Amino acid sequence: MAKGKVTINELICKGCELCVSVCPKHVLKLSETKINAAGYNPAEPVNDDCIACTACAKMCPDCAITVEKLD
């Protein structure tokens, strides 16, 4: 299976958890330690199990997620 890398733009993430809910590999969660300038806990990757399906990026209403497919 393909491997991927998820990058979250923490400055614009509103912590809505939509990305967390659609990830089939449970790669994302809301940060328990970070708070962005808008006062939200941004999403963050918690493991390297990403399969580059891009479900999280497609679901994000703020386009705060980039998914790279790794070789």
Side-chain angles (χ1 to χ4, degrees):
M1 221 180 252
K3 292 291 285 179
K5 179 184 176 194
V6 178
T7 304
I8 310 288
N9 182 336
E10 295 178 358
L11 298 176
I12 61 176
C13 177
K14 292 182 183 159
C16 69
E17 290 190 272
L18 291 174
C19 59
V20 174
S21 70
V22 297
C23 180
K25 294 295 185 175
H26 309 288
V27 172
L28 302 170
K29 73 170 189 125
L30 292 188
S31 176
E32 296 176 6
T33 57
K34 296 177 189 173
I35 297 175
N36 65 18
Y40 299 110
N41 294 83
E44 63 184 3
V46 292
N47 62 51
D48 62 353
D49 295 339
C50 179
I51 57 172
C53 70
T54 71
C56 58
K58 290 174 186 172
M59 181 59 74
C60 182
D62 298 306
C63 299
I65 302 173
T66 303
V67 178
E68 296 174 67
K69 189 172 183 180
L70 306 175
D71 293 330

